[in-house]
Amino acid sequence: MCAAALVVGVLAAPAQADAAPAPDAAPLAQDLRGAAWALKDTGKDVRFRGLAAVDRTTAWVAGSQGTVLRTVDGGRSWRDVSPPGAVAEALEFRDIEAFDARRAVALSIGEGEASRVLRTEDGGATWTETFRNPDPRAFYDCLTFFDARHGLAMSDPVDGKFRILATDDGGRNWRVLPSGGMPEALPGEAGFAASGQCLVSSGPRDVWLATGGGARARVLHSADRGLTWRVAESTVPAGDSARGVFALAFRDRTRGLAVGGDYRTGQASPQAAAVSADGGRTWSQAATPPPAYRSGAAWFPYGRATALAVGPTGTDVTTDGGRSWRSLDAGSFDTVDCAADAGCWAAGEKGRVARLERRR
């Protein structure tokens, strides 16, 4: 599947645009001019594709070799809270969703039993495995939470349809949802476990699923927490196992972004971004897209139309809701997340984690 190929190669709902800036976040302008990523030394050399921004001081990252880190001081120090069993088995964490500094849910990927969900209630001091995939045909890619109780995880197609896992108790227990309301997958279609953003939610019931690998890159939307879905074609090119939509970001239930491209090094990724103003029913190509493949996206809470996109070759920013993008930084990141207080974090290869700050 697409997610498997990448082995080689939010949290609360999206912040509201009208939130009042917190005092320590005020220096960041709405258009992010003058802002830059400030790297935070994690002391690790693993790749972090899972990221949960709680606020400007607290963030969680999850990655390869079963690694999970947490900071509560803005990245000045990191606590290694990796589940011992995950480290021993070198699990590939690709998504983590955090409710606060103590509660988080992490997803490891892979075929069969390699796909697991673990949960902590004590800041990572202890972890409980709450789901281990029993089906060798399933490969889980991403998870999302509507609130502290209700969440979903998605698997690449099984028997021709994407599989959805649901919880209504904060990730303590999970069940596979009926597939009757899920459209048929295209041949070769799958999700990309690249940034924890192939499944995203906004509000109490709306959720979107991004695909690639098939003839067309599509976005599926459910307004009832995953029971029924409708499908729309994006403008992001597909037609190859390495191409499609890698990440989605919805500011609310109508305004959304899709980013992706071709993740292979050196391959061109034209039309690597799209925008929707109707909840994902239709998608328009960005007039000025990012210049290369992008694997993660996040809305900036203090600008109605400001968002970030990241990938191995850099970070781009839009201030017009995704219609045009400009370069912000050339550093490599795989995923990005912004908290309600404008605490924006990015993470990626070689232990790289950064927080968005005003240039000094």
Side-chain angles (χ1 to χ4, degrees), residues 210-234:
T211 82
R216 299 177 299 280
R218 307 194 298 174
V219 177
L220 284 68
H221 170 238
S222 171
D224 55 11
R225 292 185 185 155
L227 292 176
T228 60
W229 298 79
R230 66 167 184 264
V231 63
E233 293 185 17
S234 77

Side-chain angles (χ1 to χ4, degrees), residues 3 6-7 49-50 92-96 107-109 141 193-196:
L6 281 165
V7 175
R49 294 187 187 269
E92 281 282 340
F93 285 119
R94 295 295 180 90
D95 200 352
I96 186 165
L107 172 74
S108 70
I109 67 159
D141 300 296
S195 60

Side-chain angles (χ1 to χ4, degrees), residues 61-263:
V61 291
S64 55
Q65 300 177 28
T67 308
V68 180
L69 305 182
R70 185 195 63 156
T71 182
V72 293
D73 57 10
R76 289 190 294 273
S77 64
W78 294 86
R79 180 183 174 189
D80 188 335
V81 295
S82 306
V87 174
E89 295 188 55
L91 295 182
E92 281 282 340
F93 285 119
R94 295 295 180 90
D95 200 352
I96 186 165
E97 306 291 326
F99 309 112
D100 49 41
R102 297 185 61 79
R103 297 175 298 159
V105 179
L107 172 74
S108 70
I109 67 159
E111 295 177 349
E113 293 190 353
S115 286
R116 305 178 196 178
V117 178
L118 289 84
R119 186 179 189 276
T120 182
E121 297 182 354
D122 54 14
T126 60
W127 293 84
T128 301
E129 181 181 297
T130 59
F131 173 77
R132 181 179 295 205
N133 172 37
D135 191 337
R137 302 169 299 167
F139 187 120
Y140 285 85
D141 300 296
C142 295
L143 56 83
T144 189
F145 275 84
F146 304 93
D147 52 44
R149 292 178 53 202
H150 302 93
L152 301 177
M154 59 81 68
S155 163
D156 289 337
V158 176
D159 294 329
K161 294 184 177 182
F162 287 92
R163 177 170 287 182
I164 303 298
L165 197 67
T167 179
D168 58 11
D169 58 8
R172 295 177 180 86
N173 296 280
W174 297 85
R175 68 190 185 281
V176 174
L177 293 183
S179 63
M182 176 66 72
E184 293 286 339
L186 301 174
E189 190 175 27
F192 291 103
S195 60
Q197 296 174 326
C198 59
L199 185 73
V200 301
S201 57
S202 179
R205 306 190 70 82
D206 287 277
V207 59
W208 295 263
L209 187 161
T211 82
R216 299 177 299 280
R218 307 194 298 174
V219 177
L220 284 68
H221 170 238
S222 171
D224 55 11
R225 292 185 185 155
L227 292 176
T228 60
W229 298 79
R230 66 167 184 264
V231 63
E233 293 185 17
S234 77
T235 61
V236 176
D240 185 278
S241 62
R243 295 202 298 259
V245 176
F246 281 71
L248 298 168
F250 274 80
R251 177 175 283 285
D252 49 42
R253 69 189 312 265
T254 60
R255 293 175 290 174
L257 303 171
V259 299
D262 189 321
Y263 75 79

Side-chain angles (χ1 to χ4, degrees), residues 15-26:
Q16 297 300 312
D18 299 327
D24 62 347

Side-chain angles (χ1 to χ4, degrees), residues 285-302:
Q285 179 184 330
T288 307
Y293 156 70
R294 295 293 179 254
S295 55
W299 290 94
F300 183 68
Y302 297 158

Side-chain angles (χ1 to χ4, degrees), residues 44-48 62-65 67 69 348-352:
K44 300 291 183 180
D45 192 37
V46 302
R47 191 162 201 161
F48 293 118
S64 55
Q65 300 177 28
T67 308
L69 305 182
E349 62 180 342
K350 298 180 180 179
R352 283 170 56 88

